[in-house]
Short mmCIF file of all heavy atoms in Angstrom, two decimals:
data_model
loop_
_atom_site.label_atom_id
_atom_site.label_comp_id
_atom_site.label_asym_id
_atom_site.label_seq_id
_atom_site.Cartn_x
_atom_site.Cartn_y
_atom_site.Cartn_z
N LEU A 205 -3.06 53.85 48.77
CA LEU A 205 -2.77 53.64 50.16
C LEU A 205 -1.80 54.63 50.60
O LEU A 205 -1.83 55.22 51.74
CB LEU A 205 -2.22 52.24 50.41
CG LEU A 205 -3.21 51.05 50.18
CD1 LEU A 205 -2.48 49.71 50.40
CD2 LEU A 205 -4.35 51.11 51.16
N ARG A 206 -0.76 54.86 49.86
CA ARG A 206 0.28 55.88 50.17
C ARG A 206 -0.25 57.25 50.28
O ARG A 206 0.11 58.05 51.19
CB ARG A 206 1.40 55.78 49.12
CG ARG A 206 2.22 54.56 49.19
CD ARG A 206 3.19 54.37 48.09
NE ARG A 206 4.09 53.18 48.30
CZ ARG A 206 4.90 52.71 47.41
NH1 ARG A 206 5.00 53.25 46.26
NH2 ARG A 206 5.61 51.60 47.70
N VAL A 207 -1.10 57.72 49.37
CA VAL A 207 -1.68 58.99 49.42
C VAL A 207 -2.65 59.17 50.67
O VAL A 207 -2.60 60.22 51.27
CB VAL A 207 -2.47 59.36 48.13
CG1 VAL A 207 -3.30 60.59 48.28
CG2 VAL A 207 -1.51 59.47 46.94
N ALA A 208 -3.36 58.14 50.97
CA ALA A 208 -4.23 58.19 52.17
C ALA A 208 -3.41 58.36 53.37
O ALA A 208 -3.81 59.20 54.25
CB ALA A 208 -5.07 56.90 52.26
N GLN A 209 -2.29 57.70 53.52
CA GLN A 209 -1.40 57.90 54.72
C GLN A 209 -0.74 59.26 54.68
O GLN A 209 -0.58 59.92 55.70
CB GLN A 209 -0.31 56.83 54.76
CG GLN A 209 0.55 56.88 55.92
CD GLN A 209 -0.16 56.71 57.26
OE1 GLN A 209 -1.21 56.12 57.28
NE2 GLN A 209 0.45 57.20 58.33
N ALA A 210 -0.40 59.72 53.44
CA ALA A 210 0.19 61.07 53.33
C ALA A 210 -0.72 62.17 53.85
O ALA A 210 -0.27 63.10 54.46
CB ALA A 210 0.60 61.31 51.88
N ARG A 211 -2.02 61.96 53.57
CA ARG A 211 -2.99 63.01 54.05
C ARG A 211 -3.01 63.03 55.54
O ARG A 211 -2.98 64.16 56.12
CB ARG A 211 -4.35 62.58 53.58
CG ARG A 211 -4.61 62.74 52.10
CD ARG A 211 -5.92 62.22 51.61
NE ARG A 211 -7.01 63.02 52.15
CZ ARG A 211 -8.35 62.88 51.83
NH1 ARG A 211 -8.64 61.92 50.89
NH2 ARG A 211 -9.25 63.58 52.38
N LEU A 212 -2.91 61.90 56.24
CA LEU A 212 -2.87 61.90 57.69
C LEU A 212 -1.65 62.55 58.21
O LEU A 212 -1.66 63.37 59.25
CB LEU A 212 -2.99 60.43 58.21
CG LEU A 212 -4.23 59.68 57.87
CD1 LEU A 212 -4.16 58.27 58.39
CD2 LEU A 212 -5.43 60.37 58.47
N LEU A 213 -0.50 62.35 57.60
CA LEU A 213 0.81 62.92 58.06
C LEU A 213 0.79 64.40 57.80
O LEU A 213 1.28 65.19 58.66
CB LEU A 213 2.00 62.20 57.37
CG LEU A 213 2.13 60.76 57.71
CD1 LEU A 213 3.27 60.15 56.85
CD2 LEU A 213 2.51 60.56 59.16
N LEU A 214 0.29 64.81 56.65
CA LEU A 214 0.27 66.27 56.40
C LEU A 214 -0.73 66.98 57.40
O LEU A 214 -0.42 68.05 57.86
CB LEU A 214 -0.25 66.49 54.99
CG LEU A 214 0.71 66.13 53.89
CD1 LEU A 214 0.05 66.08 52.51
CD2 LEU A 214 1.92 67.06 53.94
N GLU A 215 -1.86 66.32 57.71
CA GLU A 215 -2.75 66.89 58.74
C GLU A 215 -2.10 67.02 60.00
O GLU A 215 -2.38 68.00 60.82
CB GLU A 215 -4.00 66.00 58.88
CG GLU A 215 -4.95 66.05 57.60
CD GLU A 215 -5.98 64.98 57.71
OE1 GLU A 215 -6.06 64.36 58.76
OE2 GLU A 215 -6.79 64.86 56.74
N ALA A 216 -1.15 66.11 60.36
CA ALA A 216 -0.43 66.13 61.65
C ALA A 216 0.73 67.16 61.65
O ALA A 216 1.37 67.33 62.62
CB ALA A 216 0.10 64.74 61.91
N GLY A 217 0.97 67.80 60.51
CA GLY A 217 1.99 68.78 60.42
C GLY A 217 3.37 68.35 59.88
O GLY A 217 4.33 69.11 59.97
N ALA A 218 3.48 67.18 59.41
CA ALA A 218 4.76 66.67 58.95
C ALA A 218 5.05 67.42 57.63
O ALA A 218 4.21 67.64 56.77
CB ALA A 218 4.73 65.17 58.68
N PRO A 219 6.40 67.70 57.31
CA PRO A 219 6.75 68.34 56.08
C PRO A 219 6.64 67.44 54.95
O PRO A 219 6.87 66.23 55.05
CB PRO A 219 8.25 68.78 56.34
CG PRO A 219 8.70 67.85 57.42
CD PRO A 219 7.48 67.57 58.29
N ALA A 220 6.23 68.02 53.83
CA ALA A 220 5.98 67.15 52.60
C ALA A 220 7.14 66.24 52.20
O ALA A 220 7.00 65.14 51.82
CB ALA A 220 5.56 68.01 51.45
N ALA A 221 8.36 66.81 52.24
CA ALA A 221 9.53 66.02 51.89
C ALA A 221 9.65 64.79 52.74
O ALA A 221 9.96 63.70 52.25
CB ALA A 221 10.82 66.87 51.96
N GLN A 222 9.42 64.92 54.01
CA GLN A 222 9.53 63.71 54.91
C GLN A 222 8.34 62.76 54.71
O GLN A 222 8.51 61.56 54.78
CB GLN A 222 9.56 64.22 56.40
CG GLN A 222 9.84 63.06 57.38
CD GLN A 222 11.17 62.41 57.13
OE1 GLN A 222 12.18 63.09 56.99
NE2 GLN A 222 11.26 61.02 57.01
N VAL A 223 7.15 63.38 54.47
CA VAL A 223 6.01 62.60 54.20
C VAL A 223 6.18 61.67 53.01
O VAL A 223 5.91 60.48 53.01
CB VAL A 223 4.78 63.45 54.06
CG1 VAL A 223 3.62 62.58 53.41
CG2 VAL A 223 4.35 64.11 55.27
N ALA A 224 6.87 62.20 51.96
CA ALA A 224 7.06 61.43 50.72
C ALA A 224 7.87 60.16 51.05
O ALA A 224 7.44 59.07 50.59
CB ALA A 224 7.74 62.25 49.68
N LEU A 225 8.87 60.30 51.79
CA LEU A 225 9.72 59.16 52.13
C LEU A 225 9.06 58.22 53.07
O LEU A 225 9.12 56.98 52.90
CB LEU A 225 11.06 59.63 52.76
CG LEU A 225 11.94 60.56 51.90
CD1 LEU A 225 13.14 60.95 52.63
CD2 LEU A 225 12.31 59.77 50.59
N ASN A 226 8.31 58.73 54.02
CA ASN A 226 7.64 57.86 55.01
C ASN A 226 6.56 56.97 54.35
O ASN A 226 6.29 55.87 54.91
CB ASN A 226 7.01 58.78 56.11
CG ASN A 226 8.01 59.36 57.04
OD1 ASN A 226 9.16 58.93 57.03
ND2 ASN A 226 7.60 60.28 57.84
N VAL A 227 5.94 57.50 53.28
CA VAL A 227 4.87 56.70 52.71
C VAL A 227 5.32 55.83 51.50
O VAL A 227 4.54 55.20 50.86
CB VAL A 227 3.69 57.51 52.26
CG1 VAL A 227 3.11 58.34 53.50
CG2 VAL A 227 4.02 58.51 51.17
#
Side-chain angles (χ1 to χ4, degrees):
L205 292 177
R206 289 173 174 169
V207 168
Q209 182 63 24
R211 292 174 64 173
L212 297 178
L213 294 175
L214 290 168
E215 289 171 6
Q222 187 61 50
V223 169
L225 298 179
N226 286 347
V227 303

